[in-house]
């Protein structure tokens, strides 16, 4: 069976969008590669399918009717919106079951990209509540309840500033460095006027939204799957984020 170039171009666009959306929003490398390969196999009797994804890029090629087609997709920023990963997974299953045409698949991916956005207010509320609850976990036997409102104030102001810096796209190191500075600075300033709270607990709790636990977990999972490049990149990125936070926290402590 012969396939026209327009159909193959649509397939290239579908696989690029689906793979990039998963990669950008925190999917494991093996999941991205498996999804792209399944999408290609579901439509065409393709051969020589090769899919290679790294921490921030995806490359793949396949052969149809004696012609080789290839594509490369770069992902500059990565997040952890697992709702999008789940919806793209569901999309790929429907597509592989031939429930969607090529045109419908493109429309569906556009809808996922446009509608699956987390409200910034929800993100701020989630980060603040997670930080505020953490002092109790740090010291459950003898909690200092004054730590809770102090942590709420520090984490709220820090996260607002972090989002503003993030919008400027200075890079993850600068963003987390600023977050560390603000957490330490605000806690020390409040401590000069308010006593009776544990400064260390407040600083540790307010830093929780920025700790790279998600990246670290995925990188270990990639290493266990044999994706050494992505795993090592994720581990290195986790190290630099932790370093940025630590240096940021240390700066106000040193000079104030």
């Amino acid at each position: 069976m012969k396939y026209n170039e327009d159909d193959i171009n649509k397939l290239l666009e579908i696989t690029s969008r689906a793979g990039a959306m998963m990669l950008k929003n925190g999917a494991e490398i093996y999941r991205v590669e498996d999804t792209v390969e399944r999408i290609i196999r579901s439509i065409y009797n393709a051969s020589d399918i090769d899919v290679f994804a790294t921490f921030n890029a995806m490359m793949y090629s396949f052969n149809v009717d004696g012609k080789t087609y290839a594509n490369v997709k770069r992902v500059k920023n990565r997040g952890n919106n697992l709702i999008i990963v789940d919806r793209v997974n569901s999309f790929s299953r429907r597509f592989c079951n031939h429930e969607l045409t090529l045109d419908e698949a493109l429309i569906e991916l556009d809808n996922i990209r446009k509608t699956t956005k987390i409200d910034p207010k929800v993100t701020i509320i989630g980060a603040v509540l997670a930080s505020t609850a953490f002092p109790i976990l740090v010291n459950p036997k003898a909690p200092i309840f004054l730590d809770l409102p102090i942590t709420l104030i520090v984490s709220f102001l820090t996260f607002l500033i972090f989002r503003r810096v993030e919008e400027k796209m200075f890079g993850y190191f600068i963003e987390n460095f600023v977050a560390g500075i603000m957490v330490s600075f605000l806690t020390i300033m409040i401590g000069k006027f308010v006593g009776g709270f544990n400064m260390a607990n407040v600083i540790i709790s307010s830093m929780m939204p920025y700790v790279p636990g998600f990246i670290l977990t995925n990188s270990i999972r990639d290493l266990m799957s044999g994706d050494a490049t992505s795993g090592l990149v994720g581990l290195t990125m986790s190290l630099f984020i932790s370093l940025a936070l630590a240096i940021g926290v240390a700066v106000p402590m040193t000079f104030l």
Side-chain angles (χ1 to χ4, degrees), residues 184-203:
S184 183
F185 175 77
L186 292 171
T187 304
I188 292 172
M189 288 295 101
I190 293 174
K192 292 183 181 294
F193 301 97
V194 179
F197 70 93
N198 189 314
M199 193 174 296
N201 282 355
V202 172
I203 291 176

Side-chain angles (χ1 to χ4, degrees), residues 33-151:
E33 294 178 343
D34 183 66
T35 299
V36 171
E37 183 171 344
R38 286 177 183 272
I39 289 174
I40 296 172
R41 288 189 187 279
S42 67
I43 293 297
Y44 297 106
N45 186 22
S47 61
D48 298 329
I49 301 175
D50 290 304
V51 184
F52 178 68
T54 63
F55 191 80
N56 56 2
M58 181 182 65
M59 296 156 278
Y60 61 94
S61 66
F62 57 92
N63 187 288
V64 175
D65 296 330
K67 292 184 179 180
T68 299
Y69 300 89
N71 203 353
V72 177
K73 192 73 172 179
R74 172 78 185 274
V75 176
K76 293 184 179 180
N77 298 312
R78 292 196 64 177
N80 56 356
N81 190 343
L82 297 183
I83 297 175
I84 290 182
V85 175
D86 177 65
R87 291 192 63 182
V88 175
N89 266 333
S90 299
F91 157 81
S92 68
R93 293 189 185 97
R94 293 176 60 203
F95 187 81
C96 292
N97 289 331
H98 306 287
E99 298 176 19
L100 299 169
T101 65
L102 293 172
D103 291 323
E104 289 172 344
L106 289 170
I107 294 172
E108 179 70 16
L109 287 172
D110 272 340
N111 290 335
I112 293 174
R113 179 177 57 84
K114 292 176 181 177
T115 59
T116 315
K117 292 183 179 179
I118 300 176
D119 190 335
K121 294 179 182 178
V122 175
T123 305
I124 294 173
I125 292 172
V128 171
L129 289 179
S131 298
T132 304
F134 202 79
I136 298 177
L137 298 177
V138 174
N139 191 16
K141 293 185 178 179
I144 303 173
F145 290 101
L146 185 59
D147 290 354
L148 303 184
I150 301 297
T151 301

